[in-house]
Amino acid sequence: MYRTSLILLLAVAPGLAAQQAGPEARSAVAAPSERVGASTARIVASGTAGRLEFQAPRATGSEATVTVDGTLDESVWQRATILTGFSQFQPSDGQPAEDSTQVLVWYSSTAIYFGVRAFELHGAPRATLASRDKIGADDKVEVLIDTFNDRRRAMSFGVNPYGIQSDGNLAEGSQSRSETRNRSSAAARDTADLSADFVYASKGHVTEYGYEVEIRIPFKSLPYQSVATQTWGINVIRQVQHSGYEDTWTPARRASNSFLAQSGKLVGLTGLSRGLVLDLVPEVTSRVNGTPAAVPATDWNYDAASPKIGGSVRFGLSNNLTMSGTANPDFSQVEADAQQVQSDPRRATQYTEKRPFFLEGIDQFQVPNSLIYTRRVVQPVAAVKLAGKAGATSVGFLSAVDTRLQSLSGNKNPVYNLLRVRRDVGKQSTVGVTYTDRIEGSDYNRMASADTRVVFAKVWTFRAQGAGSLTRTAGVSPAKTDFLGLRTDIAPMWDVGLERAGRRLNTRYSFNGFSPRFQARGGFIGRTNSANLGFTHRFTWYGKPKSLIESLTWTFPLSSTWNYRRMVAGFGGDYKNDNSWVLALRGGWRASFSYFLETFKYDPDLYATYKIERHQGTVVDTVAFVGTDRLTNHDLGVSFQTPQFKKVDASASVFTGWDENFSEWSRSWYWNMTYAINVRPSNKLRVSGNVTRREYQRLTDRTKVLTRTIPYIKTEFQVSRPIFFRIVAQYDIQWRDSLRDDSRTNQPLLIRNAAGVYRKAGVTRSNDLRFDVLFSYQPNPGTVFFAGYGSSLTETMPFRFDDIRRTQDGFFVKLSYLFRM
């Protein structure tokens, strides 16, 4: 007995000693004992001890047959490699983790297995019976697997204490940088895009010492190299909700231009077999849409269409290359986009991709400046896609035939071809090319670009991109003279930038330009006819361990935006200095303060459809609208965010001051308020709500010129792990006063309509309500049963509900099944 105890102590002591002594020692007492024989050579890879390269045992025969039940009691777990010695990464790096973690790893010929033991001394962990990808408020563990060991992309497999899954792709350098007013400090690392869903098994349970989770990831779900002996990059991230801390297995540092480059290595993987990778997902959808009848007005017409049959197929051409196709797919179960409120009408609104077919391999289509945007394909009749990686080259190709309803002529099917090829260079750098086209009859839009991302000196990144587009519309090509007088049909776009990712100082310098004729109809351009120059410096101060103030970040940006055509002629642009200070407090509390100093240049292109109705006594005539040359803004903002409490979390932001009123091109008193709350009364029920309010008041007489209020609420009830109900309601209340030349003559404004006629810009209002109900049964990605109802309504006065009227509604039922060969 004493000899067995001594062997056990010697086997696990190196990893346990590397953790913080107090928590680990106390937590380990409650953990299940590990039955290790005298001949077992168990590997313990401690992150804090620098043991970041390890092998995992390969199980064969009956030992490799385990039941994923959340209990690590099979014999193979007793010889699995242990990853331990976690470090804190957020809010501050370089410290041992306060809550210790063990991750056990082994593999068979068909799958890789992870066992998680998360120790928690502060009480029961946060866990809910959530739906997929909705575990952000729970304690969780995320395994990052870089099967190509290129330190640029990884697949993310996350689980909460019950084994509820949250998965996606992490692409280095893809972290979006918000252009919204309510900025906070930038993320210290790239985070996973949770759009994609992978097929894997996981189950867990809460224990007396924390929680335990068992994970099985089949190799059918993993693309990997075509070599006999594999080396994979790997890291494990643990989110601890009681403190708001994020711990990593490897001692990752914030002063680095790459998080994935700091991963460990799983070496010596042999005998892997994906087998035949062939997924068939047939689907059938039946829907009924309703609209008001013309006569009599009280009737309601429903068009009971025939059931729609479609489906998709996924075929693994090799270990690292997958082809998929779809025909007549139905995406009615996808949750509607939450309405976005824009401050600048010159900037378009972008929404994330949510549709299952397009999410497969979407990381291969990521291009700087969103020059590929799969949501351009609205409702494909058919589509085919190829995605994967061969050696150092990754490729993504999508060809789709869209519905005629999206054609410019109304009688042709638009055809899209989207190609992205990227080549790894050196340890972290890349070069890439992109080609897109949209063809409709004899008309087309073609766009080609080249880009590079060069990583050097550990903390510096240089990026560059150049593109050109060629467009033919209604049989006519564009003018052949650009702003420099050069004869060409190609409209240019460029983007260059330099970034430094330091622990205390982060910098970003960028310069880009989009020709007014540059079009990427297979991509998304937020604002054409613009050039932007930006300088951002971010300073971070860290508090001492366990102090009240964990960090303070000051972001000091300077930027200028010009009209592209007028830039070379020396015309001024918009200038901004949008400062923010973000305070992170112990326990997960956050507060921020902002001060924006901005000046906007009058853009005559934006008001080309405006005129002034001039009144001189009894004479009324129409004159050109010429706005004030510049508007200067002074804005203040405050916001706060609570920790992820067990039952609730909340946030609020208020932004106010002198701001631009684009509707009349004058200064106004501006209010932008956002309030959000998430309530979890039980581990099955989740209620989230938010309210956004925008208001503009004229400085001349303090009358309101524009208001918009959007309340939104979503309720989800998780009956069981695969079954849930969802109810979503959103009310969009908009009101705009009659417009006038507020900054100069105070005369009424006229706006030219689509018929070319100038009309007085009178009072406009809308009060639109959207209501959606969904029942979902989804035991795994691909196998689903959905039943839903959606209704659009409107009323004359907001929240009266006395004359509310339906404008459209619909019912649908969808059934699909995943046949995995």
Side-chain angles (χ1 to χ4, degrees):
M1 174 180 177
Y2 292 104
R3 182 185 178 192
T4 302
S5 300
L6 179 60
I7 293 173
L8 172 63
L9 179 62
L10 292 175
V12 302
L16 302 183
Q19 293 275 12
Q20 199 171 17
E24 181 68 37
R26 292 192 296 270
S27 299
V29 172
S33 61
E34 283 137 359
R35 299 177 294 278
V36 183
S39 60
T40 301
R42 189 164 193 175
I43 298 173
V44 178
S46 170
T48 52
R51 299 181 183 129
L52 306 182
E53 186 174 310
F54 67 95
Q55 286 186 304
R58 185 177 187 272
T60 59
S62 60
E63 187 185 39
T65 304
V66 301
T67 301
V68 180
D69 56 6
T71 302
L72 311 179
D73 54 358
E74 290 91 351
S75 60
V76 66
W77 289 110
Q78 314 313 317
R79 65 185 189 92
T81 296
I82 301 177
L83 309 185
T84 187
F86 280 62
S87 302
Q88 185 184 127
F89 182 74
Q90 299 226 48
S92 178
D93 57 355
Q95 304 177 39
E98 291 187 357
D99 299 275
S100 58
T101 310
Q102 295 178 4
V103 177
L104 284 63
V105 188
W106 62 276
Y107 72 101
S108 68
S109 62
T110 58
I112 187 168
Y113 294 78
F114 296 90
V116 176
R117 288 179 178 145
F119 300 92
E120 175 59 80
L121 297 177
H122 302 82
R126 313 274 172 79
T128 59
L129 194 64
S131 56
R132 194 183 196 97
D133 295 333
K134 301 296 178 63
I135 61 174
D138 295 350
D139 282 82
K140 62 179 180 179
V141 170
E142 178 183 3
V143 180
L144 297 179
I145 304 178
D146 174 9
T147 56
F148 292 92
N149 194 35
D150 60 14
R151 307 306 173 100
R152 294 167 176 86
R153 297 174 188 264
M155 301 174 72
S156 167
F157 299 88
V159 290
N160 78 350
Y162 294 150
I164 305 300
Q165 298 173 359
S166 177
D167 52 348
N169 293 292
L170 192 156
E172 197 75 5
S174 65
Q175 181 68 45
S176 62
R177 294 172 174 83
S178 174
E179 298 295 333
T180 61
R181 297 232 156 176
N182 300 308
R183 293 187 179 98
S184 61
S185 59
R189 66 175 181 88
D190 291 296
T191 54
D193 178 354
L194 302 180
S195 301
D197 291 331
F198 308 123
V199 177
Y200 64 108
S202 59
K203 195 167 184 180
H205 64 284
V206 175
T207 67
E208 60 182 356
Y209 62 84
Y211 61 93
E212 187 172 273
V213 184
E214 189 172 14
I215 306 169
R216 179 185 184 273
I217 305 173
F219 294 139
K220 284 181 181 290
S221 298
L222 293 172
Y224 53 85
Q225 309 158 66
S226 295
V227 294
T229 302
Q230 302 273 320
T231 296
W232 292 0
I234 193 167
N235 205 347
V236 183
I237 303 168
R238 179 181 174 188
Q239 185 71 41
V240 184
Q241 292 295 355
H242 78 83
S243 63
Y245 289 176
E246 185 178 82
D247 303 330
T248 58
W249 168 57
T250 65
R253 294 291 181 262
R254 300 166 70 91
S256 174
N257 50 22
S258 174
F259 179 78
L260 287 180
Q262 303 180 75
S263 300
K265 289 183 181 180
L266 171 56
V267 301
L269 292 166
T270 60
L272 310 189
S273 173
R274 295 181 89 200
L276 174 65
V277 178
L278 178 60
D279 294 345
L280 302 176
V281 185
E283 66 179 41
V284 58
T285 305
S286 180
R287 57 191 313 120
V288 178
N289 295 319
T291 55
V295 179
T298 56
D299 282 357
W300 198 258
N301 291 336
Y302 285 98
D303 60 340
S306 301
K308 178 181 178 182
I309 298 176
S312 61
V313 59
R314 174 177 174 266
F315 178 61
L317 299 176
S318 64
N319 291 342
N320 51 18
L321 196 60
T322 301
M323 177 175 284
S324 54
T326 188
N328 294 321
D330 182 87
F331 307 119
S332 51
Q333 81 280 3
V334 175
E335 184 178 339
D337 298 307
Q339 184 64 52
Q340 297 185 28
V341 182
Q342 290 179 279
S343 297
D344 190 338
R346 297 169 295 183
R347 185 170 296 278
T349 301
Q350 183 177 16
Y351 293 95
T352 59
E353 181 62 87
K354 300 179 181 180
R355 300 168 297 174
F357 172 77
F358 293 99
L359 294 175
E360 173 74 25
I362 196 171
D363 56 311
Q364 302 292 358
F365 294 90
Q366 291 179 341
V367 186
N369 289 292
S370 301
L371 294 187
I372 288 181
Y373 182 50
T374 55
R375 285 191 64 152
R376 292 295 184 201
V377 184
V378 177
Q379 183 55 59
V381 176
V384 64
K385 182 170 52 176
L386 180 69
K389 184 169 185 177
T393 303
S394 59
V395 61
F397 173 72
L398 171 67
S399 183
V401 179
D402 207 358
T403 174
R404 291 186 178 184
L405 297 176
Q406 297 302 315
S407 69
L408 300 178
S409 62
N411 57 11
K412 296 183 177 67
N413 292 94
V415 178
Y416 289 86
N417 293 293
L418 313 176
L419 174 66
R420 171 65 170 166
V421 179
R422 196 183 71 159
R423 177 81 178 180
D424 299 339
V425 179
K427 292 184 177 181
Q428 288 296 123
S429 302
T430 60
V431 294
V433 294
T434 304
Y435 173 80
T436 70
D437 65 44
R438 181 188 187 276
I439 303 169
E440 185 180 332
S442 61
D443 294 341
Y444 56 79
N445 168 253
R446 297 166 181 162
M447 189 282 305
S449 77
D451 60 88
T452 185
R453 182 173 183 263
V454 180
V455 176
F456 60 97
K458 293 185 178 180
V459 297
W460 288 97
T461 301
F462 170 78
R463 55 180 176 79
Q465 183 181 35
S469 71
L470 182 64
T471 305
R472 179 185 178 92
T473 302
V476 179
S477 297
K480 296 185 178 181
T481 303
D482 68 6
F483 73 97
L484 293 177
L486 300 176
R487 294 185 58 82
T488 179
D489 288 336
I490 299 176
M493 166 267 166
W494 79 84
D495 183 17
V496 294
L498 180 66
E499 301 178 19
R500 181 187 187 274
R503 188 173 189 270
R504 297 183 180 275
L505 173 63
N506 289 262
T507 61
R508 182 171 185 253
Y509 312 117
S510 63
F511 184 38
N512 60 54
F514 299 84
S515 164
R517 293 188 290 107
F518 179 80
Q519 297 185 46
R521 294 184 182 174
F524 177 87
I525 305 300
R527 181 182 173 185
T528 58
N529 190 23
S530 66
N532 308 273
L533 178 65
F535 305 86
T536 299
H537 293 80
R538 184 176 297 108
F539 306 90
T540 302
W541 296 268
Y542 296 92
K544 295 180 179 179
K546 298 186 179 182
S547 63
L548 175 62
I549 299 177
E550 294 179 334
S551 68
L552 172 63
T553 301
W554 171 33
T555 303
F556 179 78
L558 295 170
S559 66
S560 181
T561 301
W562 296 275
N563 180 298
Y564 184 95
R565 286 199 300 252
R566 296 178 175 83
M567 176 183 62
V568 295
F571 283 86
D574 305 340
Y575 305 106
K576 300 179 182 180
N577 178 212
D578 298 347
N579 294 268
S580 66
W581 294 262
V582 178
L583 191 65
L585 304 176
R586 185 166 179 81
W589 293 88
R590 294 174 67 87
S592 67
F593 171 77
S594 303
Y595 169 66
F596 290 1
L597 173 61
E598 304 172 332
T599 174
F600 283 78
K601 174 73 173 177
Y602 174 69
D603 185 353
D605 290 348
L606 186 61
Y607 298 93
T609 60
Y610 274 48
K611 297 284 188 181
I612 298 175
E613 184 181 86
R614 185 171 59 182
H615 294 252
Q616 293 180 325
T618 59
V619 178
V620 179
D621 62 355
T622 300
V623 297
F625 176 80
V626 180
T628 304
D629 182 61
R630 280 198 174 276
L631 303 178
T632 301
N633 300 339
H634 298 273
D635 297 295
L636 297 175
V638 294
S639 66
F640 83 92
Q641 180 180 324
T642 71
Q644 298 278 357
F645 295 118
K646 184 175 183 179
K647 299 289 186 181
V648 66
D649 62 89
S651 63
S653 67
V654 178
F655 198 90
T656 187
W658 290 349
D659 210 81
E660 70 281 358
N661 164 19
F662 276 105
S663 297
E664 298 177 327
W665 189 250
S666 65
R667 284 203 304 176
S668 64
W669 191 266
Y670 171 72
W671 288 92
N672 179 2
M673 296 164 284
T674 302
Y675 309 98
I677 187 169
N678 300 295
V679 182
R680 298 169 289 276
S682 70
N683 69 342
K684 294 186 176 182
L685 180 63
R686 302 179 298 278
V687 181
S688 59
N690 62 71
V691 178
T692 300
R693 168 78 174 180
R694 295 278 179 91
E695 181 177 309
Y696 294 84
Q697 300 175 3
R698 299 181 180 97
L699 292 182
T700 53
D701 56 9
R702 300 310 296 267
T703 57
K704 294 180 182 178
V705 63
L706 181 70
T707 65
R708 189 172 186 184
T709 306
I710 305 178
Y712 173 93
I713 186 168
K714 177 168 65 175
T715 302
E716 295 175 295
F717 182 69
Q718 201 79 29
V719 180
S720 62
R721 185 166 176 173
I723 300 175
F724 82 92
F725 290 89
R726 182 181 73 207
I727 302 175
V728 178
Q730 177 177 270
Y731 204 146
D732 190 352
I733 306 164
Q734 300 186 59
W735 177 87
R736 193 199 68 189
D737 195 13
S738 298
L739 301 184
R740 68 194 194 201
D741 185 17
D742 184 60
S743 63
R744 301 188 309 122
T745 67
N746 219 29
Q747 300 283 358
L749 291 179
L750 307 174
I751 300 178
R752 188 177 65 219
N753 60 23
V757 179
Y758 283 91
R759 299 289 188 186
K760 185 177 293 187
V763 175
T764 62
R765 61 165 54 92
S766 62
N767 305 293
D768 298 325
L769 173 64
R770 179 67 189 178
F771 181 76
D772 292 283
V773 181
L774 177 71
F775 167 79
S776 171
Y777 172 70
Q778 189 172 11
N780 59 59
T783 298
V784 299
F785 172 75
F786 296 119
Y789 170 75
S791 180
S792 297
L793 308 99
T794 188
E795 61 177 334
T796 305
M797 300 300 293
F799 294 115
R800 296 290 180 86
F801 301 110
D802 53 0
D803 69 338
I804 194 163
R805 306 173 304 280
R806 283 182 299 164
T807 58
Q808 185 180 9
D809 70 353
F811 302 83
F812 81 93
V813 175
K814 176 180 177 179
L815 175 65
S816 68
Y817 188 82
L818 169 64
F819 292 93
R820 171 156 277 196
M821 307 301 179

